[in-house]
Amino acid sequence: MLDPVIQTKRLTRYFGQNGVVRDLDLRVPPGQVTALLGLNGAGKTTTIRIIMGLLRPTRGRCEVFGQDSGQLSPDARMRIGYMVEGHFLYPGMRVRDCAKFQRAGYSRWDDAQFDQIVAHFGIAQSTYVAHLSRGQRAGVSLALVLAPDPELLVLDDPALGLDPVSRRALNETLVEFAAGGQRTVLLSSHLLDDVERIADRVMVMIDGRLQVDTTLDDFRSRVSGYVVDSESVDTDRVAAIPGLVEARQLGSRLHLTVADADEETLAAVERLNASSVETIELPFTDSVLAWLSRSREQQSFISRTKTGETA
Amino acid sequence: MRIQVTTGSSIPIYRQVVDQIRHAVASGKLAVGEPLLSVRALATELVLNPNTIAKAYSALVRDGVLESQQGRGYFVAARREIYTRREKQRRLEEVMDPFLAEALTLGFDAEQIMTEVQKRLEKLSPSTD
C-alpha cells in the first residue's frame, strides 16, 4: 500500500476541558478524494487546522508527506493547497491583484490555470473582491489555491453558502483537478450529494472521534436497512440488535439502519417477531444521515420520532 | 446518448452508468464498434469522480458489452457469447422473477403481462436499417 499523504496517530486536541478531537487515527491515501463528514462541532475544522500546522495537538501525532505537520518545511508547504472556511479575501483588492499578492509566496505559479478557473466561475479579473458574490469569492479562492499546482488540496467546507451554479463549478474544478489520479484531495462538507459524486473515500467524525474511514462503496455495502412492521415490536429487542445505527418510526413501520450486519443481526431482527421484515438498499445519503443522527441522540439511543414531528 | 445520474438514489452511481450504457447498447442507440467518451471526458461531463466511470467501464468490459483497445479507448463490443446457455438462463430468471412477482402483485394477469412485454420489446428493438 502506498504511503498515506496525511496520517494521524491518536491525535487529540483539547480546548480547556473540552476534547474536540479525540484519539484520531486517520489515513488519507494519495491520488484519492476523501470527504470528511460530521455535524457542526464534530472536530472537522480543528483536525484540518492541525493537519495544516496551524494548531498544535494536545497529544498524538499528525504527519503530512511523512513530516510532522507542526514543522513542515517551506518546500512541503508549497505542495499543499489550503482553502479556509468562509472564502476570505481582502475586499479592497481586484481579482487580479489577489493573484499577484498570492503568487509572491510561491516558487511555482500557473497564470493560465488561475485565469481559467476564474473564467469558469464567470468572474472578470478587474472586479473588486468587495463586489463579488459568495460563490465568486469561492471561485477566486479556489483559483488562488490551485494556481501553484499543489499535490495535496485541503478544503474546509468549500461549498458552504454557494449557489447551485457555483457549486457545480466547484465540483467540476475538483473533478478536473483530481482526474489524473496523481493528486490528493481532503475536503470537509455537509453536502452529501456532492460527496457521493466526487469522493472516493468517506470519513465520518462524531464528537471528535472517527467513526467511519473507508471507501464510498465499502461504506454503502456495510450499512444495511430493514423495514419492519412495528406495531408488535418490543423496543428493548430493537436496542439489542448488534450494529444498530438508527431506528426510526415512519408511520406504522420501523426503519432500522444497521452497520456490518451479519447472521446475528439478521437473527436479532427476526427475533422482533414483526409480521413482515423487508430488506432495503439504502442510498449513500441516508446511510450517512443515519450515522450523524445517532450522534444527535445520545440520551435515547433509539429515536421514536413519528413522521411529521421531525423538524 | 446522454447519461443522467441521480444522487441520493439507492442505486450506486456506477451502477446507474452501467445500466444506462447497457440499455443504450441493447436498444441500438450505441452501435457495435462505436467509441465511448474517455473516462476523463465522461467524468468531466457528468461531474463525477473518474474512478466511478472507470469502474463502470471495466464492469461493462467484464460483461462483454464494451471492449477496451490499448491506447484508443473504449468501444461497443460485438455481441459475444461469454456465458454458457445455462448461465444465461440463470441470469434471465434472476431479473424475471422480481418483475413477474411485482406484475402479479399489481393484479396483471398472464395475458396482460405478455402484451406489455411485447409492447416494450417492440419499443426496444433497434430500427432495422
Side-chain angles (χ1 to χ4, degrees):
Chain A
M1 194 172 175
L2 292 165
D3 286 340
V5 175
I6 301 170
Q7 183 164 31
T8 69
K9 285 180 194 135
R10 307 208 61 179
L11 186 70
T12 301
R13 171 72 203 204
Y14 274 79
F15 290 106
Q17 296 292 311
N18 191 12
V20 174
V21 172
R22 291 188 276 182
D23 288 325
L24 212 63
D25 287 311
L26 64 80
R27 291 167 62 94
V28 175
Q32 308 232 303
V33 178
T34 302
L36 179 57
L37 309 176
L39 300 178
N40 294 328
K44 302 187 299 290
T45 295
T46 302
T47 304
I48 287 176
R49 289 174 57 81
I50 296 171
I51 288 169
M52 293 309 303
L54 300 171
L55 266 181
R56 295 296 295 162
T58 309
R59 283 197 300 275
R61 286 180 63 75
C62 175
E63 290 180 354
V64 180
F65 298 131
Q67 300 178 18
D68 181 341
S69 72
Q71 292 162 17
L72 282 177
S73 64
D75 189 50
R77 274 182 196 286
M78 211 93 79
R79 293 155 66 196
I80 310 173
Y82 171 46
M83 202 163 121
V84 295
E85 191 172 4
H87 315 115
F88 180 82
L89 298 167
Y90 295 109
M93 287 185 179
R94 291 178 194 269
V95 171
R96 71 167 80 88
D97 302 330
C98 294
K100 245 183 255 168
F101 182 66
Q102 188 95 346
R103 72 183 299 168
Y106 290 87
S107 58
R108 236 182 359 204
W109 188 271
D110 184 346
D111 274 320
Q113 171 81 313
F114 180 85
D115 295 348
Q116 191 223 317
I117 296 170
V118 164
H120 191 65
F121 276 78
I123 308 161
Q125 300 261 3
S126 57
T127 317
Y128 279 101
V129 166
H131 298 151
L132 295 176
S133 71
R134 178 101 194 205
Q136 290 173 322
R137 270 191 0 245
V140 175
S141 306
L142 194 62
L144 291 171
V145 164
L146 293 185
D149 192 21
E151 281 165 56
L152 167 64
L153 189 57
V154 179
L155 308 168
D156 194 355
D157 209 348
L160 181 72
L162 296 199
D163 58 79
V165 174
S166 307
R167 242 176 85 190
R168 189 183 158 93
L170 169 72
N171 288 334
E172 283 168 345
T173 310
L174 290 181
V175 164
E176 183 68 30
F177 174 80
Q182 304 298 312
R183 297 185 279 204
T184 309
V185 180
L186 172 67
L187 79 158
S188 67
S189 182
H190 291 299
L191 299 173
L192 303 180
D193 287 317
D194 291 356
V195 168
E196 189 185 354
R197 277 180 175 278
I198 64 175
D200 293 288
R201 299 182 64 84
V202 53
M203 299 195 286
V204 178
M205 273 185 89
I206 293 174
D207 295 334
R209 294 183 193 276
L210 195 63
Q211 301 279 353
V212 174
D213 178 9
T214 185
T215 63
L216 236 68
D217 291 337
D218 184 52
F219 180 66
R220 271 189 104 112
S221 66
R222 280 172 50 188
V223 180
S224 25
Y226 303 94
V227 178
V228 299
D229 182 344
S230 63
E231 304 292 358
S232 52
V233 163
D234 170 359
T235 319
D236 290 339
R237 289 197 174 177
V238 172
I241 297 173
L244 184 72
V245 175
E246 192 195 32
R248 276 168 73 87
Q249 187 85 43
L250 293 166
S252 69
R253 284 138 64 95
L254 186 65
H255 286 235
L256 303 172
T257 307
V258 179
D260 297 321
D262 56 14
E263 285 144 33
E264 282 183 36
T265 309
L266 273 171
V269 171
E270 269 165 25
R271 274 199 296 277
L272 297 175
N273 286 323
S275 48
S276 75
V277 177
E278 193 189 335
T279 309
I280 52 169
E281 278 201 62
L282 287 174
F284 169 73
T285 42
D286 288 15
S287 305
V288 176
L289 273 172
W291 278 95
L292 296 179
S293 318
R294 175 184 175 179
S295 69
R296 270 276 161 84
E297 292 146 9
Q298 289 144 329
Q299 299 88 350
S300 69
F301 185 53
I302 297 172
S303 88
R304 304 282 293 187
T305 347
K306 299 265 183 199
T307 336
E309 286 177 13
T310 43
Chain B
M1 74 170 293
R2 172 138 181 82
I3 296 175
Q4 276 180 326
V5 160
T6 318
T7 52
S9 156
S10 60
I11 305 169
I13 289 176
Y14 96 92
R15 227 162 69 202
Q16 296 181 32
V17 175
V18 166
D19 289 348
Q20 288 178 46
I21 293 177
R22 197 192 290 275
H23 188 269
V25 171
S27 65
K29 264 185 219 147
L30 278 174
V32 171
E34 210 171 306
L36 277 93
L37 284 180
S38 70
V39 167
R40 193 168 177 155
L42 187 57
T44 306
E45 187 184 306
L46 300 178
V47 199
L48 291 178
N49 186 313
N51 294 331
T52 306
I53 307 293
K55 191 175 165 193
Y57 277 6
S58 61
L60 287 162
V61 168
R62 207 172 45 237
D63 289 351
V65 177
L66 302 181
E67 58 190 6
S68 124
Q69 292 177 14
Q70 195 66 45
R72 293 186 56 220
Y74 292 87
F75 299 83
V76 178
R79 199 171 296 178
R80 280 181 298 128
E81 299 298 327
I82 61 161
Y83 297 122
T84 61
R85 185 191 290 176
R86 183 182 298 234
E87 175 64 9
K88 284 203 290 194
Q89 189 68 30
R90 193 192 65 76
R91 285 184 171 241
L92 183 63
E93 279 163 16
E94 198 178 276
V95 292
M96 217 158 45
D97 288 350
F99 156 68
L100 286 178
E102 183 76 25
L104 292 170
T105 317
L106 289 169
F108 288 91
D109 64 27
E111 198 179 326
Q112 287 170 313
I113 293 173
M114 297 297 276
T115 318
E116 289 303 318
V117 168
Q118 197 69 43
K119 268 200 268 178
R120 293 300 291 183
L121 267 177
E122 277 160 23
K123 234 179 173 174
L124 266 182
S125 61
S127 55
T128 41
D129 50 13

